[in-house]
PDB file of all heavy atoms in Angstrom:
ATOM      1  N   PHE A 953       2.332 -33.822  -3.243  1.00 98.00           N
ATOM      2  CA  PHE A 953       2.705 -32.588  -2.538  1.00 98.00           C
ATOM      3  C   PHE A 953       2.438 -31.414  -3.459  1.00 98.00           C
ATOM      4  O   PHE A 953       2.222 -31.584  -4.694  1.00 98.00           O
ATOM      5  CB  PHE A 953       4.178 -32.626  -2.106  1.00 98.00           C
ATOM      6  CG  PHE A 953       5.177 -32.570  -3.231  1.00 98.00           C
ATOM      7  CD1 PHE A 953       5.667 -31.353  -3.693  1.00 98.00           C
ATOM      8  CD2 PHE A 953       5.634 -33.749  -3.814  1.00 98.00           C
ATOM      9  CE1 PHE A 953       6.593 -31.324  -4.744  1.00 98.00           C
ATOM     10  CE2 PHE A 953       6.561 -33.719  -4.839  1.00 98.00           C
ATOM     11  CZ  PHE A 953       7.052 -32.521  -5.309  1.00 98.00           C
ATOM     12  N   ALA A 954       2.436 -30.187  -2.907  1.00 98.00           N
ATOM     13  CA  ALA A 954       2.118 -29.006  -3.711  1.00 98.00           C
ATOM     14  C   ALA A 954       2.963 -27.821  -3.241  1.00 98.00           C
ATOM     15  O   ALA A 954       3.430 -27.779  -2.108  1.00 98.00           O
ATOM     16  CB  ALA A 954       0.632 -28.646  -3.622  1.00 98.00           C
ATOM     17  N   TYR A 955       3.164 -26.877  -4.155  1.00 97.00           N
ATOM     18  CA  TYR A 955       3.931 -25.666  -3.883  1.00 97.00           C
ATOM     19  C   TYR A 955       3.424 -24.586  -4.819  1.00 97.00           C
ATOM     20  O   TYR A 955       2.561 -24.828  -5.660  1.00 97.00           O
ATOM     21  CB  TYR A 955       5.420 -25.927  -4.057  1.00 97.00           C
ATOM     22  CG  TYR A 955       5.778 -26.374  -5.463  1.00 97.00           C
ATOM     23  CD1 TYR A 955       6.250 -25.475  -6.434  1.00 97.00           C
ATOM     24  CD2 TYR A 955       5.657 -27.718  -5.836  1.00 97.00           C
ATOM     25  CE1 TYR A 955       6.582 -25.887  -7.687  1.00 97.00           C
ATOM     26  CE2 TYR A 955       5.983 -28.127  -7.108  1.00 97.00           C
ATOM     27  CZ  TYR A 955       6.418 -27.211  -8.051  1.00 97.00           C
ATOM     28  OH  TYR A 955       6.738 -27.640  -9.306  1.00 97.00           O
ATOM     29  N   THR A 956       3.924 -23.380  -4.665  1.00 95.00           N
ATOM     30  CA  THR A 956       3.495 -22.273  -5.532  1.00 95.00           C
ATOM     31  C   THR A 956       4.635 -21.878  -6.463  1.00 95.00           C
ATOM     32  O   THR A 956       5.834 -21.972  -6.124  1.00 95.00           O
ATOM     33  CB  THR A 956       3.068 -21.055  -4.719  1.00 95.00           C
ATOM     34  OG1 THR A 956       4.142 -20.685  -3.811  1.00 95.00           O
ATOM     35  CG2 THR A 956       1.816 -21.327  -3.927  1.00 95.00           C
ATOM     36  N   GLU A 957       4.226 -21.429  -7.650  1.00 94.00           N
ATOM     37  CA  GLU A 957       5.217 -20.973  -8.631  1.00 94.00           C
ATOM     38  C   GLU A 957       4.548 -19.971  -9.554  1.00 94.00           C
ATOM     39  O   GLU A 957       3.544 -20.273 -10.189  1.00 94.00           O
ATOM     40  CB  GLU A 957       5.764 -22.154  -9.458  1.00 94.00           C
ATOM     41  CG  GLU A 957       6.873 -21.821 -10.398  1.00 94.00           C
ATOM     42  CD  GLU A 957       7.398 -23.062 -11.123  1.00 94.00           C
ATOM     43  OE1 GLU A 957       8.255 -23.747 -10.539  1.00 94.00           O
ATOM     44  OE2 GLU A 957       6.927 -23.316 -12.251  1.00 94.00           O
ATOM     45  N   ASN A 958       5.069 -18.752  -9.587  1.00 91.00           N
ATOM     46  CA  ASN A 958       4.517 -17.678 -10.442  1.00 91.00           C
ATOM     47  C   ASN A 958       3.024 -17.465 -10.202  1.00 91.00           C
ATOM     48  O   ASN A 958       2.236 -17.267 -11.123  1.00 91.00           O
ATOM     49  CB  ASN A 958       4.747 -18.007 -11.939  1.00 91.00           C
ATOM     50  CG  ASN A 958       6.227 -18.104 -12.307  1.00 91.00           C
ATOM     51  OD1 ASN A 958       7.042 -17.363 -11.747  1.00 91.00           O
ATOM     52  ND2 ASN A 958       6.549 -19.014 -13.173  1.00 91.00           N
ATOM     53  N   GLY A 959       2.645 -17.509  -8.926  1.00 90.00           N
ATOM     54  CA  GLY A 959       1.274 -17.246  -8.570  1.00 90.00           C
ATOM     55  C   GLY A 959       0.308 -18.421  -8.786  1.00 90.00           C
ATOM     56  O   GLY A 959      -0.879 -18.303  -8.530  1.00 90.00           O
ATOM     57  N   LYS A 960       0.821 -19.546  -9.253  1.00 95.00           N
ATOM     58  CA  LYS A 960      -0.019 -20.710  -9.486  1.00 95.00           C
ATOM     59  C   LYS A 960       0.380 -21.812  -8.523  1.00 95.00           C
ATOM     60  O   LYS A 960       1.489 -21.869  -8.006  1.00 95.00           O
ATOM     61  CB  LYS A 960       0.145 -21.224 -10.929  1.00 95.00           C
ATOM     62  CG  LYS A 960      -0.228 -20.159 -11.989  1.00 95.00           C
ATOM     63  CD  LYS A 960       0.066 -20.716 -13.372  1.00 95.00           C
ATOM     64  CE  LYS A 960      -0.241 -19.648 -14.443  1.00 95.00           C
ATOM     65  NZ  LYS A 960       0.088 -20.118 -15.814  1.00 95.00           N
ATOM     66  N   ILE A 961      -0.597 -22.696  -8.231  1.00 96.00           N
ATOM     67  CA  ILE A 961      -0.334 -23.844  -7.363  1.00 96.00           C
ATOM     68  C   ILE A 961       0.052 -25.033  -8.259  1.00 96.00           C
ATOM     69  O   ILE A 961      -0.645 -25.379  -9.201  1.00 96.00           O
ATOM     70  CB  ILE A 961      -1.559 -24.187  -6.524  1.00 96.00           C
ATOM     71  CG1 ILE A 961      -1.928 -23.011  -5.619  1.00 96.00           C
ATOM     72  CG2 ILE A 961      -1.286 -25.434  -5.695  1.00 96.00           C
ATOM     73  CD1 ILE A 961      -3.214 -23.204  -4.882  1.00 96.00           C
ATOM     74  N   LYS A 962       1.212 -25.610  -7.944  1.00 97.00           N
ATOM     75  CA  LYS A 962       1.696 -26.773  -8.664  1.00 97.00           C
ATOM     76  C   LYS A 962       1.589 -27.984  -7.747  1.00 97.00           C
ATOM     77  O   LYS A 962       2.104 -27.964  -6.600  1.00 97.00           O
ATOM     78  CB  LYS A 962       3.150 -26.587  -9.097  1.00 97.00           C
ATOM     79  CG  LYS A 962       3.390 -25.344  -9.946  1.00 97.00           C
ATOM     80  CD  LYS A 962       3.076 -25.592 -11.397  1.00 97.00           C
ATOM     81  CE  LYS A 962       3.543 -24.424 -12.253  1.00 97.00           C
ATOM     82  NZ  LYS A 962       3.369 -24.702 -13.697  1.00 97.00           N
ATOM     83  N   ALA A 963       0.995 -29.062  -8.230  1.00 97.00           N
ATOM     84  CA  ALA A 963       0.910 -30.296  -7.466  1.00 97.00           C
ATOM     85  C   ALA A 963       1.610 -31.416  -8.206  1.00 97.00           C
ATOM     86  O   ALA A 963       1.429 -31.543  -9.415  1.00 97.00           O
ATOM     87  CB  ALA A 963      -0.546 -30.684  -7.206  1.00 97.00           C
ATOM     88  N   VAL A 964       2.407 -32.201  -7.498  1.00 97.00           N
ATOM     89  CA  VAL A 964       3.054 -33.379  -8.062  1.00 97.00           C
ATOM     90  C   VAL A 964       2.333 -34.585  -7.467  1.00 97.00           C
ATOM     91  O   VAL A 964       2.330 -34.757  -6.237  1.00 97.00           O
ATOM     92  CB  VAL A 964       4.557 -33.401  -7.773  1.00 97.00           C
ATOM     93  CG1 VAL A 964       5.187 -34.690  -8.305  1.00 97.00           C
ATOM     94  CG2 VAL A 964       5.231 -32.184  -8.327  1.00 97.00           C
ATOM     95  N   VAL A 965       1.741 -35.392  -8.319  1.00 96.00           N
ATOM     96  CA  VAL A 965       0.853 -36.455  -7.858  1.00 96.00           C
ATOM     97  C   VAL A 965       1.264 -37.773  -8.469  1.00 96.00           C
ATOM     98  O   VAL A 965       1.431 -37.902  -9.689  1.00 96.00           O
ATOM     99  CB  VAL A 965      -0.602 -36.144  -8.277  1.00 96.00           C
ATOM    100  CG1 VAL A 965      -1.551 -37.224  -7.789  1.00 96.00           C
ATOM    101  CG2 VAL A 965      -1.041 -34.780  -7.723  1.00 96.00           C
TER     102      VAL A 965
END
Side-chain angles (χ1 to χ4, degrees):
F953 67 91
Y955 59 97
T956 54
E957 186 178 276
N958 299 324
K960 301 175 183 178
I961 299 172
K962 304 276 190 174
V964 178
V965 180

